[in-house]
Amino acid sequence: MKGNLVLNEKLVESFLNEDKHSYKIPKNWIWVHLGKICDVNMGQSPKGEYTTDEPNNVPLVGGPADMGDLYPNSHRYTVKPTKLSEKGELIVSVRATLGKTNFADRRYCLGRGVAGIRSKIIDVRLLKYFFDVIKPYLYSVSTGTTFQQVSKKDIEGISIPLPPQNEQIRIVDKIEQLLSKIDEAKRLIEEAKETFELRRAAVLDKAFRGELTRNWRESSITTITPIEETLQIINLEKNKLKNKVSKLNETHECPFNVPDSWEWVRLDEICLSLKNGLYKAANYYSDSGTPCLRMYNIDDNKLNLKDMHYMILTNEEIKEYGLEYGDILVNRVNSRELVGKCAAVPKNFPTTVFESKNIRIRLHSQISAEYISAFMNSKYVKKWILDTCKQTVGMATINQEFLKGVLIPLPPVEEQKQIIKYLNSILLAEEKIKTTLTLFDKLNVLKQSILSKAFRGELGTNDPTEESAIELLKEVLKEQVK
């Protein structure tokens, strides 16, 4: 009698009232704290003197870095393990990255960054999916600044909806069936993305080698201005501006052959000026004024007006640092992978200036800014930047002298326009294909939706006639009161 009384008291203590939760669960499920149905074994790192690279010892899982997709990927071992997991447990990271899970396929020594969780009444596979769902919650209760972490108390206090045992198996089977379809869709999207990038690169390569316009060039009835004449006109104007072509010490081998009617030129030969952007103190910034383009406003060979900052400027400053149709804006300070990204200023672009981490290239009107910008975003210039840019801690830089020396395969004016016409037509069609690749993010949302429904009993697997999950809890509690 006394045993039954203690059992009932523990049973009541284990439940949480449904009105404390944001959603209902099937009647034969129960809400329960994780600590009531699981043993949580927090890790403890062994002393460094006991760690080794010898794989004939106990493998160590110290944190997320030692975890793989499904099973630990240990690179260290210990001769004197502290906390041990058993085969079949779920290993959970309790330090950032929080909530990452692996199955223990053997005994592991658990380091400080992980915990081992075992349970007799909940399927460990279902528990893994549960941690996928509650990762945001783990971060919300975590402590620490350098390393976000959760405690044993945090984990044991998590509320979990517990289904009957047979329902757990059905839920896992249904989840795996649905997620396998999502994984297959992701694989196909990745393949399509790779094909898209290769095809795009091939189109651009043909454009800058003159292959894209070969038929047009051979059959064109348009009067084509020899590129030499255009370069002479530009040189005359540069002389009037007292902006002669600089003599650069470095010479670079032309990366590929171009048609006879083209010329390899340095950027300095075809631009009228290069100018670094505007730097102003914080008090010059305002909620209104002249919009100022930053490094983030150059993306995918285009200018955007996202998250704009505004400056209070004089008319003279706006004129000096303003952007015009046909200019090219180049990012001069960024990460090594992003420095040098650029975009041509399109027609009807609003009045804007540009900040100091960018450089404005002002080309001669005879030169297509779209063509030059496209080439400067090509793999050839990107490689040159990666090989020669100045690198500081976390950042890379290029300067005006670097840009002046960039080699450009320059076709006649008419052919520049024709190439851009072809590229716009081809790449527009490619962009329509690319939009399907955004489904990748939607698939991740769908995965979370499936997991969320799984723990609401909404996957259509629940049998309301099955014995309530409360019977599972009773078995555990009986063990505790013996």
Side-chain angles (χ1 to χ4, degrees), residues 120-313:
K120 292 181 179 180
I121 65 172
I122 185 167
D123 190 306
V124 70
R125 298 171 300 164
L126 186 64
L127 195 58
K128 179 187 187 304
Y129 290 125
F130 180 69
F131 273 95
D132 287 342
V133 171
I134 64 165
K135 281 180 183 178
Y137 171 77
L138 294 178
Y139 279 96
S140 73
V141 299
S142 65
T143 59
T145 52
T146 306
F147 294 103
Q148 289 176 284
Q149 56 189 3
V150 290
S151 66
K152 181 175 182 177
K153 183 179 178 181
D154 292 328
I155 296 175
E156 291 180 335
I158 295 169
S159 300
I160 182 171
L162 181 66
Q165 216 149 32
N166 288 336
E167 170 64 358
Q168 293 178 32
I169 296 171
R170 290 195 297 269
I171 290 173
V172 169
D173 289 344
K174 186 70 172 182
I175 288 175
E176 292 180 347
Q177 175 189 350
L178 294 172
L179 295 192
S180 67
K181 292 180 180 180
I182 289 178
D183 289 341
E184 176 63 13
K186 284 184 176 181
R187 185 187 65 79
L188 293 173
I189 288 174
E190 284 295 338
E191 287 182 1
K193 184 177 180 181
E194 184 177 343
T195 301
F196 168 82
E197 296 296 343
L198 288 172
R199 188 163 56 238
R200 181 187 179 97
V203 168
L204 290 172
D205 195 48
K206 286 185 177 181
F208 301 126
R209 291 174 181 269
E211 295 175 13
L212 197 63
T213 45
R214 178 185 295 154
N215 291 339
W216 175 89
R217 191 167 53 249
E218 292 174 353
S219 61
S220 178
I221 58 173
T222 304
T223 301
I224 296 177
T225 306
I227 192 61
E228 294 83 0
E229 289 185 16
T230 302
L231 292 174
Q232 287 174 4
I233 293 170
I234 295 173
N235 193 43
L236 287 172
E237 187 161 341
K238 286 172 72 70
N239 285 334
K240 289 179 183 178
L241 295 171
K242 297 181 179 180
N243 182 13
K244 294 183 179 180
V245 175
S246 60
K247 293 183 178 180
L248 302 176
N249 294 327
E250 285 191 69
T251 57
H252 298 274
E253 185 179 346
C254 300
F256 50 83
N257 294 324
V258 294
D260 292 339
S261 58
W262 293 29
E263 287 281 349
W264 277 102
V265 300
R266 291 176 304 181
L267 182 66
D268 190 39
E269 297 177 61
I270 56 175
C271 70
L272 301 180
S273 68
L274 292 97
K275 189 172 185 63
N276 285 12
L278 181 65
Y279 175 79
K280 286 284 189 180
N283 59 302
Y284 282 87
Y285 286 84
S286 173
D287 292 333
S288 60
T290 305
C292 180
L293 296 180
R294 300 176 298 153
M295 53 195 273
Y296 311 105
N297 298 115
I298 307 172
D299 187 38
D300 198 22
N301 204 16
K302 295 185 182 70
L303 298 179
N304 66 66
L305 299 174
K306 298 175 184 176
D307 190 26
M308 291 300 299
H309 285 200
Y310 299 86
M311 285 183 173
I312 303 301
L313 302 173

Side-chain angles (χ1 to χ4, degrees), residues 454-466:
F455 292 98
R456 293 171 182 264
E458 296 176 356
L459 290 184
T461 58
N462 190 58
D463 181 356
T465 66
E466 277 185 341

